[in-house]
Amino acid sequence: MKKKKYLTVALIVLAALALLVLLPPAGIFLETNGRVHSADDTPDGYECAIVLGASVVNGRLSHMLEDRMKTAVSLYKSGNVNKLLLSGDYQSEDYNEVGAMRRYALENGIPDEDILLDYSGFSTYETVSRAKKLFGIDRAVIVTQRYHLYRALHIARSFGMEVVGADAALRGYRGQIFRDMREIAGKSVKFFNIVLHIAYAVVIRVHPYEI
């Protein structure tokens, strides 16, 4: 009888944990789903396309990054945006995502004066934060693959930006299941961080001298 009781309690705990993990991603998806578009039906009138970086190999764009740049160039040439903000990792002279992205843009007819460069886009949060605070961008199209767009849009909206997303998934990519799992984890971690910050603020207010 006790074993059955313990098993029931364990199942309830597991179900609660599963809800805690899955509810934040579901909430972010519901909040931003209507803002995700293909390149062909992305609304126009936005000041900038924010292109999120991805890996480069020997200075060459990975397939994922190439498709993001191809989508951004298409948005620029269609008049949806007036500028491109290229944001990525610049670890060293031997690894420079932004330099490779800029080279692609120039080779595909984007004027240099309409290209903005962010060499410190080490994460989605940092890219969006710097787009708002450093570059002063308020209305933008975020360009990345669909699996990544929901969290990026959610972060941008938390900064008060008016944003939509352009899905740059022009093909299938190896290892996508792991990226999907990472996104679920990333959304859940962001939610728990918010909860912890709220709890911390409450404790500070109630017991200001005990922290």
Side-chain angles (χ1 to χ4, degrees):
M1 196 70 178
K2 284 187 176 180
K3 287 185 178 179
K4 187 175 181 180
K5 182 179 179 181
Y6 291 148
L7 180 60
T8 301
V9 171
L11 289 173
I12 292 172
V13 170
L14 287 173
L17 289 173
L19 283 174
L20 285 173
V21 170
L22 294 175
L23 280 178
I28 290 173
F29 173 80
L30 290 173
E31 174 203 343
T32 58
N33 184 44
R35 295 177 175 273
V36 175
H37 305 271
S38 69
D40 293 334
D41 67 2
T42 298
D44 56 15
Y46 287 86
E47 57 186 301
C48 185
I50 302 172
V51 188
L52 304 183
S55 62
V56 298
V57 181
N58 297 323
R60 293 170 60 97
L61 305 182
S62 61
H63 288 162
M64 184 167 280
L65 186 52
E66 181 183 0
D67 290 348
R68 294 179 190 181
M69 289 302 305
K70 186 178 295 184
T71 301
V73 168
S74 173
L75 290 172
Y76 179 91
K77 291 185 175 180
S78 298
N80 299 83
V81 298
N82 300 320
K83 293 184 181 294
L84 304 184
L85 171 58
L86 312 180
S87 181
D89 193 346
Y90 180 23
Q91 297 176 7
S92 67
E93 291 298 329
D94 296 325
Y95 188 84
N96 182 353
E97 293 176 4
V98 178
M101 295 163 76
R102 174 178 176 271
R103 186 164 56 250
Y104 181 97
L106 292 173
E107 290 172 353
N108 285 273
I110 307 299
D112 203 16
E113 61 268 23
D114 288 339
I115 301 174
L116 306 174
L117 304 176
D118 176 15
Y119 291 97
S120 298
F122 304 121
S123 69
T124 304
Y125 181 90
E126 288 173 291
T127 290
V128 174
S129 173
R130 289 167 62 81
K132 172 68 173 180
K133 297 176 181 178
L134 182 63
F135 293 92
I137 295 170
D138 294 312
R139 302 183 72 251
V141 179
I142 298 179
V143 181
T144 184
Q145 279 71 21
R146 180 177 288 268
Y147 80 94
H148 191 194
L149 271 173
Y150 304 105
R151 182 165 58 92
L153 291 170
H154 175 72
I155 293 170
R157 283 164 58 80
S158 74
F159 282 105
M161 298 172 67
E162 184 180 339
V163 288
V164 294
D167 179 14
L170 306 181
R171 66 184 103 181
Y173 308 99
R174 294 179 61 183
Q176 187 57 46
I177 187 171
F178 297 105
R179 296 187 188 93
D180 293 337
M181 292 171 63
R182 185 181 65 187
E183 279 300 302
I184 291 173
K187 294 181 182 78
S188 299
V189 167
K190 186 178 188 301
F191 171 79
F192 288 123
N193 281 340
I194 292 172
V195 171
L196 288 173
H197 277 87
I198 293 172
Y200 183 75
V202 170
V203 171
I204 285 287
R205 180 172 295 180
V206 176
H207 301 290
Y209 303 110
E210 294 183 12
I211 301 298

